[in-house]
Structure formats: C-alpha cells, structure tokens
Amino acid sequence: MSKAIAVASAKMDKDLKENTERIFKSMGLTATTAITLFYKAVSMQNKIPFEIVGDPFYSPENMLRLQKSIQQLETTGGTPHELIEVDDD
C-alpha cells in the first residue's frame, strides 16, 4: 500500500536556509528528510521536540531597566561615546 504524499512549503531567510541545508548535508540528510524527522518527532511527542525560549533581551526586567535608562538619559542629556567594535570570533 502506498502512502499519499503532501508538500509543505515555508518561506524563510535565504542565508538561514542555505546554512541549515549545509549542516543537514554534513549529517547525510536532505532538507526533506530533516523536516520529515521534525514532523515525525512532533507527531510522536505531541509537542515541539526541543525547548523554545524567548530572547532574554525582551524580558520584563530588561525592558524596565531600558526604560529607566532612557528616562535617565533624557533627563540628564547623557554623554555620547564612541561605539566599540567587538569581534565575535
């Protein structure tokens, strides 16, 4: 008995797609196989098979701190400084 085939389509950032597909290839997987594995894991576990956490930058505590900093800057006028480039390597 053959299974019916369906097509899933998603739009995403080109660089993300290409980088991720390189990783899949290094694992011996195609994008189709990797996505199928993801779908099967979701189906079997009835949940996303990994933890998804928010960016801590947007936490309520950090937003409050940023608002206070902006208020202080607007009140005092602040002192400009040069940005320092940091190498992420």
Side-chain angles (χ1 to χ4, degrees):
M1 176 177 8
S2 67
K3 293 184 178 185
I5 300 296
V7 175
S9 177
K11 293 183 180 183
M12 68 185 72
D13 178 80
K14 182 181 181 209
D15 292 337
L16 171 64
K17 178 184 179 291
E18 290 172 354
N19 184 53
T20 304
E21 287 180 355
R22 273 193 295 277
I23 295 168
F24 291 158
K25 186 175 181 180
S26 75
M27 298 173 176
L29 301 172
T30 64
T32 298
T33 304
I35 293 167
T36 300
L37 286 170
F38 174 72
Y39 271 55
K40 285 185 178 189
V42 170
S43 181
M44 289 188 314
Q45 298 175 28
N46 201 32
K47 66 177 189 141
I48 301 293
F50 47 84
E51 183 179 12
I52 300 174
V53 296
D55 185 339
F57 179 83
Y58 296 102
S59 69
E61 298 83 10
N62 197 47
M63 291 295 102
L64 181 61
R65 180 178 177 154
L66 287 171
Q67 289 170 350
K68 287 180 179 179
S69 294
I70 291 168
Q71 185 178 26
Q72 179 184 11
L73 188 63
E74 290 172 344
T75 302
T76 64
T79 307
H81 62 85
E82 289 186 34
L83 292 176
I84 301 170
E85 293 290 328
V86 177
D87 188 13
D88 290 336
D89 295 336

